[in-house]
Amino acid sequence: QDTRMRAALTGQKRVAIALWKLATRDRSVANQFGVGKSTVGVAVMQVANAIVELLLSKVETLGNVQAIVDGFAAMGFPNCGGAIDGTHIPILGPDHQSSQYINRKGYFSMVLQALVDHKGRFTNINVGWPGKVHDARIFRNSGLFRWLQEGIYFPDQKI
């Protein structure tokens, strides 16, 4: 909100602050944008919440299942509905439970698990697990695993 003391940050500036903070390990984001440190935290949370509320519901999660299976078969992978892997996203060490975020290579990270179709397009993403957690545990506890077990993700497939 605008107040007598200052004008409200524009949406563009909030997004810029959030992207800069999330993309770099730079701790001087507040100075670079001329805002307070707490304002940076608020902007990051507002942008993250907006992404979750406004954009995630618009993400296509799968597409034509038969086209994906056929696409993988043409590449020499019959009965395949996707390629899945995890990757470590470097983060700054958190103040609490920091040892849980140190991965096997010795740096702080969060794990991103992604499923892609035959054209390399993301069809499912799971992010947020601490770097110490094994890929198999993340998969077993993912929504993707539950959907596969329940036959929701690849309906009508007899694979």
Side-chain angles (χ1 to χ4, degrees):
Q1 286 181 324
D2 287 336
T3 66
R4 285 187 227 157
M5 302 293 286
R6 61 165 174 77
L9 292 178
T10 65
Q12 290 175 329
K13 191 167 186 175
R14 290 171 203 252
V15 170
I17 290 169
L19 289 176
W20 191 272
K21 178 66 177 168
L22 294 170
T24 69
R25 292 182 177 218
D26 191 352
R27 294 181 186 251
S28 64
V29 176
N31 292 338
Q32 291 176 348
F33 286 91
V35 298
K37 289 180 183 178
S38 63
T39 303
V40 170
V42 169
V44 169
M45 290 307 297
Q46 288 174 335
V47 170
N49 287 334
I51 289 170
V52 168
E53 292 174 19
L54 302 174
L55 297 178
L56 285 184
S57 62
K58 296 181 181 175
V59 172
E60 290 187 32
T61 56
L62 193 56
N64 183 333
V65 175
Q66 193 58 53
I68 293 171
V69 172
D70 292 345
F72 275 112
M75 296 168 62
F77 299 101
N79 295 324
C80 180
I84 189 169
D85 197 10
T87 188
H88 289 268
I89 308 298
I91 63 169
L92 297 174
D95 292 333
H96 67 288
Q97 296 181 333
S98 60
S99 65
Q100 294 299 308
Y101 289 86
I102 299 175
N103 64 29
R104 69 184 190 285
K105 294 190 178 183
Y107 63 90
F108 292 103
S109 68
M110 292 182 97
V111 181
L112 179 143
Q113 172 191 273
L115 179 72
V116 296
D117 67 9
H118 62 291
K119 293 184 177 180
R121 296 177 296 196
F122 291 97
T123 58
N124 185 275
I125 295 173
N126 181 354
V127 68
W129 286 80
K132 189 173 188 174
V133 180
H134 193 275
D135 286 353
R137 180 172 173 212
I138 294 168
F139 177 64
R140 280 193 315 271
N141 288 284
S142 69
L144 173 62
F145 183 79
R146 282 191 303 279
W147 296 335
L148 290 168
Q149 293 292 93
E150 295 169 8
I152 295 170
Y153 209 75
F154 294 108
D156 303 324
Q157 290 295 313
K158 305 293 187 254
I159 299 173

